[in-house]
Amino acid sequence: ADEYQRIRRYFNDRGYVVDVFVYLRPRKRWLESQLQERVKLGARAFDLLPDELRTQLDYPGRLDVLDEMFGRERVTAVPFVPDAFPDGCVVRDFCRRAGVPVEPGRIRRVNDGLSMEAFKLLLAQRRFAGGYGTGLRAVVRNEVLIRRLTEVAGPPVRVHSRLVGHMAEEWRRQAPEIERDRKSTRLNSS
């Protein structure tokens, strides 16, 4: 809330009103994406939900804070469903919603997910072949490795539903809270 308040004040002091667009990814997919990102950045363990990320899955609580800081009428919650975005691009969807003109050719797509096979190779490298390393050279080598791994074809990274089953009931309980007073947007609660 403190960070959001600073952002609001910064823009308000300059005569701007902030509109907030929140893309709510289905939680299981979000967990799968976060796991990939942590391993890409050097994590060596298969930790699906580290303690520091638990609060990020409290979608109603996070939306309430945004509503309080910016006003409910300024916060738009959108389901993260790439198939529903123009050309599957969240940037184009955001620009359309925010009224920001952008030429599609100016959008550079980065950070697509790895295939399951590529992810397994990366996790093995992190665990058994020295991991990420340190310094600028390690950053460059990691970037090259990730780029090469994005070329490995296969199905996307998915974790078995049993690994998140203990969280599913809480997510179902939160669904009505997320949708309350957000009639213009249908949200997926999982």
Side-chain angles (χ1 to χ4, degrees):
D2 292 340
E3 289 180 50
Y4 294 144
Q5 192 171 46
R6 281 193 299 274
I7 291 168
R8 188 191 72 224
R9 268 197 217 124
Y10 175 87
F11 285 106
N12 285 350
D13 289 351
R14 286 155 180 81
Y16 296 100
V17 176
V18 177
D19 286 318
V20 178
F21 296 89
V22 179
Y23 286 85
L24 297 176
R25 184 176 253 176
R27 290 176 182 94
K28 183 175 177 287
R29 296 287 185 256
W30 183 85
L31 287 168
E32 293 161 345
S33 176
Q34 286 299 305
L35 175 62
Q36 275 191 74
E37 291 308 305
R38 289 191 310 277
V39 173
K40 283 180 184 179
L41 294 173
R44 300 177 102 152
F46 185 94
D47 188 358
L48 192 56
L49 185 59
D51 287 340
E52 65 270 12
L53 294 181
R54 290 187 185 278
T55 59
Q56 293 191 30
L57 290 176
D58 176 17
Y59 289 180
R62 294 175 64 86
L63 287 169
D64 287 347
V65 171
L66 289 168
D67 290 345
E68 182 181 324
M69 291 296 109
F70 298 100
R72 181 175 288 263
E73 69 284 354
R74 310 252 33 123
V75 177
T76 302
V78 181
F80 186 86
V81 182
D83 291 344
F85 301 154
D87 295 327
C89 178
V90 70
V91 173
R92 287 191 60 196
D93 187 76
F94 167 78
C95 290
R96 180 182 56 81
R97 289 175 190 277
V100 176
V102 65
E103 297 172 31
R106 296 202 45 150
I107 298 172
R108 189 171 57 104
R109 192 172 180 115
V110 295
N111 203 26
D112 284 329
L114 299 174
S115 69
M116 180 61 94
E117 296 307 313
F119 176 73
K120 289 192 277 187
L121 287 169
L122 182 60
L123 188 57
Q125 188 276 341
R126 297 294 192 237
R127 284 186 166 177
F128 305 115
Y132 191 98
T134 58
L136 180 58
R137 189 172 193 189
V139 172
V140 171
R141 290 179 72 194
N142 187 63
E143 184 62 30
V144 170
L145 174 62
I146 299 302
R147 284 184 187 177
R148 287 185 177 159
L149 286 174
T150 60
E151 297 171 9
V152 176
V157 173
R158 297 291 180 251
V159 297
H160 198 282
S161 295
R162 280 186 264 176
L163 293 175
V164 297
H166 64 288
M167 297 178 244
E169 181 55 38
E170 173 63 16
W171 297 345
R172 277 190 289 283
R173 185 196 63 71
Q174 289 181 2
E177 293 178 54
I178 294 170
E179 292 194 18
R180 181 188 67 232
D181 299 326
R182 296 183 192 279
K183 303 293 185 220
S184 63
T185 306
R186 298 298 302 160
L187 298 171
N188 181 341
S189 63
S190 56

